[in-house]
Amino acid sequence: MPTYVVTGKNNSGESVISVSISGIDQEPVIVPETDVVNAVRVFLAGTAGVNSVVAQKYEQVITVI
């Protein structure tokens, strides 16, 4: 699973809160991982002091030579 970082920023564009999601354990898949990320985005967007929210996805790529 990729790692997601959801960041809430203030009016000046400075990060005021950051949430890292690196694992969601479920078997079988009940909730798509993007739904979980979007729920965190919505929650942070409604938080006092947060003006904008950015979600970034990080994946590890391994190349064998």
Side-chain angles (χ1 to χ4, degrees):
M1 177 183 164
T3 297
Y4 294 89
V5 177
V6 185
T7 306
K9 299 182 178 189
N10 63 14
N11 290 335
S12 301
E14 299 170 330
S15 297
V16 291
I17 186 168
S18 180
V19 177
S20 177
I21 304 168
S22 60
I24 301 169
D25 297 326
Q26 55 182 337
E27 186 61 41
V29 174
I30 296 174
V31 179
E33 60 190 44
T34 53
D35 288 355
V36 175
V37 173
N38 285 333
V40 173
R41 288 180 67 213
V42 169
F43 176 77
L44 292 182
T47 303
V50 175
N51 187 47
S52 64
V53 180
V54 176
Q56 296 175 304
K57 177 181 178 180
Y58 298 94
E59 294 185 87
Q60 182 178 13
V61 177
I62 300 172
T63 304
V64 178
I65 298 176

